[in-house]
Amino acid sequence: MYSSSRRYRKNDWWDFMTVIDQELDRDEGPMTYYYILDELKWRMVDSVSEGETFKIKKKAQELKDRMEKSKENWSLDSDATLIELNSLLEFLI
């Protein structure tokens, strides 16, 4: 599917939150969600505190809710995209 290269690695948490909003305001397609959720996955893997994990899970839940609304406008060629997105969400939440 998509490359798992980290697009937002250099952003601290609060900058990343701003970037998420900017990215989704520009494009709420599956690829945008994929890259954002993938970055959250890496931040969770790298996290060392329960507090950090909690805020990542909370943001992932917010993104899941927003993604549910966005999916109505997607035209997907295959279910592979949804499977990957759901796998990332399953890991995060």
Side-chain angles (χ1 to χ4, degrees):
M1 180 173 171
Y2 305 115
S3 163
S4 67
S5 63
R6 293 179 69 179
R7 292 177 169 218
Y8 313 109
R9 169 187 301 224
K10 294 180 182 177
N11 297 93
D12 70 24
W13 179 255
W14 296 112
D15 287 340
F16 181 47
M17 294 301 100
T18 302
V19 168
I20 287 173
D21 292 336
Q22 291 170 349
E23 293 283 305
L24 291 173
D25 286 345
R26 187 172 46 245
D27 177 15
E28 286 200 63
M31 189 170 167
T32 305
Y33 279 99
Y34 176 83
Y35 285 120
I36 291 168
L37 292 170
D38 188 59
E39 178 60 29
L40 285 175
K41 174 195 75 176
W42 284 110
R43 288 176 187 239
M44 184 176 283
V45 168
D46 294 341
S47 73
V48 292
S49 72
E50 283 186 36
E52 188 172 348
T53 299
F54 174 78
K55 71 182 179 184
I56 292 169
K57 287 178 178 272
K58 184 175 186 239
K59 190 61 180 180
Q61 183 62 53
E62 291 171 12
L63 287 167
K64 178 183 178 190
D65 296 341
R66 186 170 176 174
M67 189 176 79
E68 289 300 318
K69 294 175 187 168
S70 297
K71 281 195 307 192
E72 296 169 4
N73 300 319
W74 295 352
S75 58
L76 300 174
D77 295 334
S78 73
D79 290 335
T81 302
L82 287 177
I83 290 169
E84 291 223 21
L85 288 168
N86 287 329
S87 294
L88 283 168
L89 284 167
E90 200 172 298
F91 175 82
L92 290 163
I93 299 171

